Each structure stands twice: as C-alpha cells, then as structure tokens.
Amino acid sequence: MTSLKRIIINALKSLSRGRSFLQALLALWISPKSDPKKFKQIKVFRRTREQFLKEAKKLLLGPIGSSNRSIANSGDTTPTPNDPLLLLSKKFKAQFKQGLQTNPACMLPSYNHQLPSGHESGQYLAVDIGGSTLRVGVVGLKGRETTDDGDSTIVHMDSYKIDTNVRLLRGASFFKWMARKIETSLKKAIDAGHISKEEYALGDPMPMGLAWSFPLEQTSPSGGNICPMGKSFLACDGLIGRDLGATCNKILRELQVNVEVVSIVNDSNATLLSSAYSHPSARFGLILGTGVNIAAHLPVNLVGKFKFGERPDSWYEQASHVMVNTELGMFGRGILPLTRWDKILKAGHERPDFQPLEHLVSGYYLGEVFRIALLEAIKTTGVLGGKIPPLLLDAYSMDTGTMSLIINGLDARGRAEAVFAQLYHLPAGIPSTEDMRFMQQLAGYIARRSASLVAASVFALWELKKAAQQHYLDKLEPESPFSEETAVELTMERTTVGYTGSVLTCFPGYKETLQRYLDQLMMSSGHDLKERRIDLVEAKESSLLGAAVSLAGVVEEERMGLNEKGMA
C-alpha cells in the first residue's frame, strides 16, 4: 500500500511539469526503479514448441514417410510401390550401379572373392589401423561351431591412441611408429606365453593381417596402392601410389621386427569377413560410428573392368563374386531431401559435396544437425529459457553422445537434465522437464531419418545384388562351376548384415529402428518376411577378427599351392 501511495504522490508532483496524470503514472510504473520481481517485461516468441516439432517432423521424416509401416502382421505382402522410402532406395540403386561401373573413387573391389568357410582355425597376428586407434591382437580362430561372434577369439590385444601428433607424422615416420607399437605388443604377447619366443626370434617372419581404415586401390591380397587418407592423416605424404604392403614390410625389416604383412583388408570388408565367419548368411558389413560405410559381396559382372587393375586370368577363373568397399558416404548427391539445417551444415563444410549421405547419417554429423536445429528452436520457441548457451554457438559442440544421453533420459552420472545443464553451464531449473521432452523428440526425428536412409542404402544394395545374380545366372552355361553357387545365392531366405560402430551399438533404439525400416522396405516391395529377410547381427571385434580371417585364407591358399607343387 505504501508503494502505491508513493507512486501516486510522485505522479501528482509531475503534473506541475505539464504531463498528464496518466502519462506520469505509466512512466513511473515501468521505470527501472520499479520492483523487477513484480514488473517483468514479457518476451513473445514466434511459435510454440508443438508447432516447431510438427514442422521438424515434416521436414526430417516427411520425404521418407513419417512413420514405419506396421509389421505386426508379417504375412502382409501387399506391395506399396509408392512408399517414399522405397522410391528413394531405387534412386540409391541407380547411383550405386553407376558408381560400380564408372567412379574410380568408390565401389572399390578387394582381392577377396571368397567368403570364409567357417572352418578356418589357428592363431594369427592381426593389426587394425583406425582413425583414432591402432590395435594389435593375437587372434585364435576355432571354427564357426565354437566361435560366439568373436567373444572367444581375442587371445591378446593392445590398443594405442592415434592422437594429433601421430596423425601429423609424415610418410615413413607414421609406419615406423606403427612398427614400434607392433614390436611392443609382440613382446607383451611373448611374455604372456601366447607366442613362442624362439619361433619369433629365429623363425621366418610371422604373417600379419592388416585392417586398413582408409581408401586403398588393392592390387593383391597383401598389397594395394596408397591413396589420400583424409581424417587429417599425413602418413600418405610422399607415398601416394606406393604399395602399402611393401611399404610396411620394408620398415618392419629395417627395424628388425620379424613380421610380414601377408593380407590387407579394408575395415568394412573386415566387418563382412568377421560376420561371415560366424554367420554363413552374411553378405554385407555395415560400419556406422563417426563415419558410415558398407562392404558388399557382389557379382563380378557388376563392377567395371578397369577397377580390377591388373589381375591374373586365374583370379577371374575362380571369382564369381567379389567383396566391394562401397565408400557409402560419398553417395546421395542430388537425391537426398535436405532441410534448412542440413544446408547450414553443408555451407560451413570445407568439402560440402564430398560425402553427402554421411552428413545425414553418421555419428560425426548427427549432433551437429541437432545443434543447428536447437539453436533455431531456442530463438523462436523459448526452449531453454530462450537464451542460447555460449558453448552451443560453437560448431560441433553437440556430439552424438550427448544426443544419445538426451534420448535415453538417464545416465550413469545422474539425470540427463543435470548432465546437460552442467555440460552447457545452464542456470538452475534449465533444462526443464518440458525442455528435455522437446529435445528428445527433435533428436529422435534426426536419428530416425538417419536409420531410414541407411536402411534404404542396404536394401538398394540387396536388390542390386539380386538382380545382377539373376542376370548372371541367365547367361551362364548349366555346366558352369558358378551356376550352382549363384542359384543358391538367389534362393537365400535370410541375408545377414554384420554391423559395428558406436551409433548402432550405443545409440538408444537405433538398431531396432533400422531393422524396422528394413522390414518395411521388404514388405513394400512385396516380400513376405517369413520367406525373405534382411537381418542385422552385431560383428564384435570385427576389424581384428576380419583381418585374422582374411590372413587365414591367404595362408591356407599358399599352403595348398605349395602342396600342389610338391605333388607335381
């Protein structure tokens, strides 16, 4: 009451200065001296959260169908040829077919033309060079019947971080660093009794299988021309076009490390090999973590002849199929439905058109699309109190792990709200429960779009493989050694896709969503899920296991060759 009386008295005093009573009263009422707790200026936002989410769902999921087709009745085989996701898959199929024939940068055939029998056994040295880690392992293969997806095959393993300093090692310096780490691991394995000290020191060089996570123009089981590596690596400086296996072996000999590279595989091919070792129906290997890639076991007739380089006639005489490193992230140009948030990401990228699909599906970019969309939501809907946390203004400051935390709701460190608030230095009460629900829905739409696009890619490759096999079989003579093999491939009821990578293994619900989209595509194209399926199966320790399986195959072929020479 006293405050109101004081306001009226001051207003009356101002009348002597020629102002009306109402003007004076309003001026005092909203003056800075007024109590801020009672008189706040209200900010009006352009739209509600519900309106933003409705538009986000339309932009992100509309072009591929906003909801999965119900699969409760797996016997429903009614084709839906106008399914937007199926139509997009057909566009991928056309790009894949062209890439297989004409593009030298993708759809790269390996030297492996046979999948493992599952009977490979023995102990092998395997090395995996990834974008952030070098792993050296002794792998014990025991055969398909006794192997549980790789759980019991790693006898010894050491991991070494590849930090910025290692990435900046140029040319031979990087391979010398790698050789020394291999030597360190071998000494540990010898001390642990996994490798005989006498055999290593006095015997022939120990065969090694190498999983190489970078582009490679493969020319033999143990060699291939080094290509630009990307990912900030300088190891290829001065070595472009040089043979990778020969480069490694030269340095290993110089440093007196008694090891020889005998087999080289791309990391996606290693995923396929490790899956096929445990699952005879595996025909694809999918990696979805920081990046995305698929290896596919495809008919040789799909691949442009120039891509095989110089190979002996004996290779073609034995090969009806070949493992192909698709470099999947490079596809999608001109066919992907982009939102304004995708276009902002693309505009700020140093190579905006190099990997169009990767920008929409991989772990490196999912968080960035979410960050860009969230910035707009904060400014237009008032989420997070309508104030942008300074850290959120930094590009790529929202990683996919944080997205995963938001969707999951809870975390080992405490409630997701508290972790998010601490990460972005938010005041008490922010984010609210409503903020978290909003972000969960937005992040969920972005993740679902990613899963749908990966599913469309896998299905496109499956259809392309099936059509090429039918065409190949129609042209084969009945007595051809490839006729029976190709016919069996065409009648497979279940095709397995071995997968690895943090998005598929750690992101809540992602693998299940991807499987639902694969089922949707099968049904939309008229297949009965009881008769024909594409199933996802995790490939554990895929790079090391795949490198070991590939090495086992090479060693077995060499042994058989020596036996044949001896018999002659």
Side-chain angles (χ1 to χ4, degrees), residues 291-485:
V292 63
N293 201 8
I294 293 178
H297 192 241
L298 301 175
V300 169
N301 65 328
L302 267 176
V303 185
K305 191 68 180 288
F306 80 96
K307 293 196 175 192
F308 291 103
E310 296 183 6
R311 302 190 184 193
D313 292 339
S314 59
W315 188 91
Y316 294 99
E317 291 168 1
Q318 299 173 33
S320 63
H321 290 66
V322 64
M323 286 200 308
V324 175
N325 165 25
T326 65
E327 291 294 339
L328 183 68
M330 297 174 66
F331 290 92
R333 187 173 184 179
I335 66 172
L336 293 171
L338 300 181
T339 68
R340 57 180 176 272
W341 308 311
D342 300 313
K343 292 174 183 177
I344 291 171
L345 184 153
K346 183 177 177 180
H349 199 283
E350 59 182 11
R351 303 182 72 183
D353 297 316
F354 179 56
Q355 294 177 312
L357 181 59
E358 187 151 315
H359 292 172
L360 272 64
V361 305
S362 75
Y364 188 77
Y365 295 105
L366 290 179
E368 179 64 0
V369 175
F370 178 63
R371 183 191 72 88
I372 293 169
L374 183 58
L375 286 176
E376 181 184 322
I378 293 171
K379 290 185 286 186
T380 61
T381 72
V383 69
L384 296 183
K387 295 181 180 179
I388 298 174
L391 180 60
L392 208 57
L393 291 170
D394 295 339
Y396 298 94
S397 59
M398 173 73 72
D399 61 22
T400 304
T402 304
M403 262 184 78
S404 174
L405 168 65
I406 290 169
I407 288 180
N408 202 33
L410 294 173
D411 180 77
R413 294 169 290 176
R415 292 192 59 79
E417 292 96 324
V419 176
F420 187 85
Q422 183 178 12
L423 182 62
Y424 290 98
H425 309 293
L426 301 176
I430 297 178
S432 65
T433 302
E434 291 74 20
D435 291 336
M436 291 300 297
R437 287 173 182 162
F438 175 91
M439 291 192 291
Q440 282 175 340
Q441 282 191 262
L442 180 58
Y445 295 154
I446 293 169
R448 278 178 59 188
R449 180 183 68 164
S450 168
S452 72
L453 296 177
V454 173
S457 303
V458 172
F459 186 75
L461 287 166
W462 181 82
E463 281 215 313
L464 187 62
K465 173 184 171 73
K466 184 162 63 76
Q469 285 172 333
Q470 185 62 63
H471 179 71
Y472 185 48
L473 184 62
D474 291 343
K475 294 179 68 176
L476 285 173
E477 297 293 335
E479 62 273 12
S480 168
F482 297 145
S483 292
E484 183 179 356
E485 174 190 348

Side-chain angles (χ1 to χ4, degrees), residues 71-88:
I71 61 171
N73 180 11
S74 59
D76 178 11
T77 59
T78 306
T80 52
N82 294 324
D83 178 352
L85 191 58
L86 183 61
L87 296 176
L88 179 60

Side-chain angles (χ1 to χ4, degrees), residues 228-239:
M229 295 171 66
K231 302 177 185 176
S232 302
F233 277 80
L234 300 182
C236 55
D237 279 17
L239 297 176

Side-chain angles (χ1 to χ4, degrees), residues 219-278:
T219 56
S220 70
S222 62
N225 297 327
I226 297 173
C227 301
M229 295 171 66
K231 302 177 185 176
S232 302
F233 277 80
L234 300 182
C236 55
D237 279 17
L239 297 176
I240 300 294
R242 300 276 188 89
D243 187 273
L244 175 62
T247 299
C248 291
N249 288 334
K250 179 176 181 292
I251 290 173
L252 287 165
R253 286 193 300 270
E254 288 176 357
L255 297 181
Q256 297 182 338
V257 181
N258 197 23
V259 168
E260 180 182 10
V261 176
V262 171
S263 171
I264 299 176
V265 289
N266 172 265
D267 58 343
S268 62
N269 288 335
T271 301
L272 172 54
L273 283 169
S274 67
S275 301
Y277 183 68
S278 303

Side-chain angles (χ1 to χ4, degrees), residues 529-563:
L529 293 180
K530 294 178 181 177
E531 298 177 357
R532 194 64 67 94
R533 292 187 58 85
I534 301 174
D535 287 329
L536 298 165
V537 176
E538 185 176 0
K540 299 176 182 178
E541 299 294 352
S542 59
S543 292
L544 284 177
L545 180 55
V549 170
S550 176
L551 174 59
V554 172
V555 170
E556 178 64 16
E557 284 188 11
E558 290 181 351
R559 185 184 64 79
M560 290 177 64
L562 289 173
N563 287 343

